[in-house]
Amino acid sequence: MRTNAMGRGWIGLLLSLCLAACAREAAPPPVRFFAEGQPADLAEWNLLRVADGRLRLNRGVMPYDLNTPLFSDYAHKLRTVWMPQGQAAAYDAERAFDFPVGTILSKTFYYPRGEGDTVLRSADDGPDLRGGGLELSKVRLVETRLLVRRREGWIALPYVWNEQQTRARLMRAGELVPLRLTGADGRSEPAQYQVPDQNQCAGCHGTDMKSKALQPIGPKARQLNRDFAYDDGLANQIARWTRAGYLRGAPAPQAAPRAANWRDPGAPLDAKARAYLDVNCGHCHSPSGPGNTSGLWLDAATREPLRLGRCKLPIAAGKGTGDRRYGLVPGKPDESILVYRMLSDDPAVMMPELGRSVVHAEGVQLIRDWIAAQQGSCG
C-alpha cells in the first residue's frame, strides 16, 4: 500500500512538473522594442495578442484611462503603457510625463457592436478587461496607434485591424473606415472614421511649434489621477504606476492635480467644460501649440477670459466665423464662434480639424451650457 501511494505521489509530481513546463512554453514572448524601422505587423511588437476570443495584454503592458478623453467619432479606447525593465517616466505636474527611451504607448480604437453591421454611438466608460482582455465578439476593432520613444524622439505608427480581427497592419498613409453609428434611441448616422497618416499624427502630437517634435498628449498627471479597475481591484493610476516602477518623483495622488470628468454630474460646470476643451483643443490652442497665432488658448493653464475667447474677435477664421463676431459671447452660445465650429462637419469650418467626422452632440451641449451660464456682455 505504501509503495502504491509513493508511486502515485511521484506520478503526481511528474504531472505537475510537465504542466508547469507546458505553461512556461505557452507564455507569450516578451514585448519587443524596435529601436529603428517600422514593423509591418502590430504582432511583431508583442504588446497585444488575440487569444481565446479576446484582445489580451502582454506581461508588463499596463492599461490606463483618462479623466476626460479626446473625442474620436464616439470610438472607445484601450490605452496601454510599457517601459523597459528598470526604466521609469519622470513626473511632471503640468505637462506629459518625461518618458524614457524604449517606452511604447498604445491606443486601440474600437466600438461596441450593434445589430447587423452597425456599431454603437455611446460614451467611452473605459475598457472592460474582465476575463483578461477585450471580448472580440462584443467589439469592432478599428486601429491601434503606437507612440514609440526612440533615442531621436517619438515616432507614431498607425495599425489597422482586418475584418476578422486577427491582424493589424501598418498603414502609413492612413485609411478611411466607413461605419454606421447607432444611438440608444435607435437612430443611426454614417461616419467616415479616418485613420490618420503619419504626417497627420504630427498635427496633434506636435504640441510645441519651436521643436515640432511629437509628444504624448494624454498621460499627464491631471488626466491619470483617477482610479482604474485592475485585475486585483480599483487603484489610483499615479500610485499604481509608481508602485510598478513606471513613474518616479510623483506625490501622493491627493497632492497631484486632477482634471474633472466631463460627464460627472457632481462636478462644477466650469471644471467639466475646461477639462473638455483642454483635451480636445488645448494641445493645439496653447501658447506653444500650432494654434497659438489665433490668440485663442484653451489649455488647462490659461485663465485670462479674452484668451479663452470671451468677447474675442477672430484673427483669421474666415469662413469659420459663421458671420459671428466673437469667439465666446457670455450667455449666448448661438452667437459664439466656438459653438458654431464644434457643430460643423465641414472640413473648412469644423473644430477640431482632425479626428472626427461627426458632431459630438454631448460635448457641444456641455460647451453650450458653459457659455449660457456666463454673465456679462460684449458691449
Side-chain angles (χ1 to χ4, degrees):
M1 296 290 290
R2 184 178 298 175
T3 302
N4 290 340
M6 290 177 63
R8 287 194 296 272
W10 278 107
I11 292 172
L13 177 60
L14 288 171
L15 284 173
S16 298
L17 291 173
C18 289
L19 289 172
C22 290
R24 285 194 299 270
E25 291 172 3
V31 173
R32 185 179 180 187
F33 169 71
F34 290 86
E36 58 184 19
Q38 300 189 16
D41 200 309
L42 178 64
E44 296 181 58
W45 296 87
N46 295 333
L47 279 174
L48 309 168
R49 73 185 193 281
V50 174
D52 303 321
R54 294 181 184 273
L55 182 65
R56 298 182 180 275
L57 281 56
N58 204 348
R59 189 184 310 110
V61 179
M62 183 179 296
Y64 69 92
D65 209 352
L66 308 181
N67 277 314
T68 291
L70 176 75
F71 174 74
S72 308
D73 280 351
Y74 292 96
H76 294 218
K77 296 158 191 175
L78 167 61
R79 299 172 176 83
T80 73
V81 58
W82 177 87
M83 296 177 217
Q85 188 172 4
Q87 298 294 312
Y91 177 83
D92 191 299
E94 298 297 331
R95 296 170 296 182
F97 297 157
D98 184 9
F99 290 92
V101 172
T103 300
I104 306 174
L105 300 172
S106 83
K107 185 161 58 171
T108 298
F109 295 71
Y110 66 95
Y111 289 87
R113 288 188 179 275
E115 293 184 3
D117 293 331
T118 68
V119 295
L120 298 183
R121 186 183 64 211
S122 59
D124 183 4
D125 291 322
D128 183 357
L129 301 179
R130 290 173 297 179
L134 291 178
E135 190 172 347
L136 295 177
S137 64
K138 295 182 178 180
V139 302
R140 161 77 187 278
L141 301 179
V142 180
E143 61 160 324
T144 295
R145 299 179 196 171
L146 300 188
L147 266 182
V148 180
R149 178 66 169 90
R150 290 175 170 169
R151 192 168 301 279
E152 63 274 16
W154 291 93
I155 181 173
L157 300 170
Y159 291 87
V160 178
W161 287 90
N162 61 12
E163 292 185 9
Q164 297 76 29
Q165 305 196 132
T166 57
R167 189 180 190 187
R169 299 285 292 173
L170 180 65
M171 294 292 185
R172 297 176 57 185
E175 182 138 318
L176 204 60
V177 181
L179 299 170
R180 188 147 200 96
L181 304 176
T182 301
D185 57 4
R187 291 186 295 180
S188 63
E189 62 180 326
Q192 294 293 323
Y193 180 98
Q194 184 176 11
V195 177
D197 62 40
Q198 287 183 304
N199 291 329
Q200 289 173 320
C201 290
C204 288
H205 288 277
T207 57
D208 187 330
M209 283 301 292
K210 289 184 178 180
S211 69
K212 296 187 178 179
L214 271 63
Q215 295 290 337
I217 296 173
K220 300 172 182 174
R222 61 181 176 272
Q223 289 287 6
L224 293 174
N225 194 4
R226 53 161 290 169
D227 287 346
F228 187 89
Y230 297 99
D231 288 340
D232 55 357
L234 283 175
N236 179 274
Q237 293 182 137
I238 289 178
R240 177 56 70 96
W241 282 39
T242 299
R243 193 173 79 187
Y246 275 3
L247 184 61
R248 56 180 171 80
Q254 57 268 29
R258 184 193 296 265
N261 177 341
W262 75 280
R263 296 174 59 229
D264 181 1
L269 176 60
D270 182 71
K272 292 190 292 186
R274 290 303 312 277
Y276 184 89
L277 292 172
D278 176 44
V279 76
N280 283 282
C281 315
H283 50 276
C284 181
H285 285 275
S286 74
S288 61
N292 65 346
T293 56
S294 70
L296 180 68
W297 299 347
L298 300 173
D299 58 304
T302 297
R303 287 289 178 266
E304 185 182 348
L306 182 64
R307 291 294 190 189
L308 293 171
R310 185 182 175 97
C311 301
K312 180 186 176 304
L313 293 169
I315 292 177
K319 182 180 176 181
T321 66
D323 295 325
R324 288 154 178 79
R325 184 169 176 78
Y326 299 111
L328 187 159
V329 181
K332 298 179 179 180
D334 290 329
E335 297 181 18
S336 301
I337 297 173
L338 183 58
V339 170
Y340 171 73
R341 302 195 77 168
M342 290 178 66
L343 276 170
S344 177
D345 58 7
D346 181 345
V349 174
M350 70 181 192
M351 283 290 175
E353 296 174 310
L354 299 173
R356 74 172 179 91
S357 65
V358 300
V359 174
H360 188 197
E362 298 81 2
V364 172
Q365 188 61 53
L366 171 66
I367 302 306
R368 288 181 62 88
D369 293 343
W370 176 60
I371 295 174
Q374 297 186 32
Q375 302 296 313
S377 68
C378 292

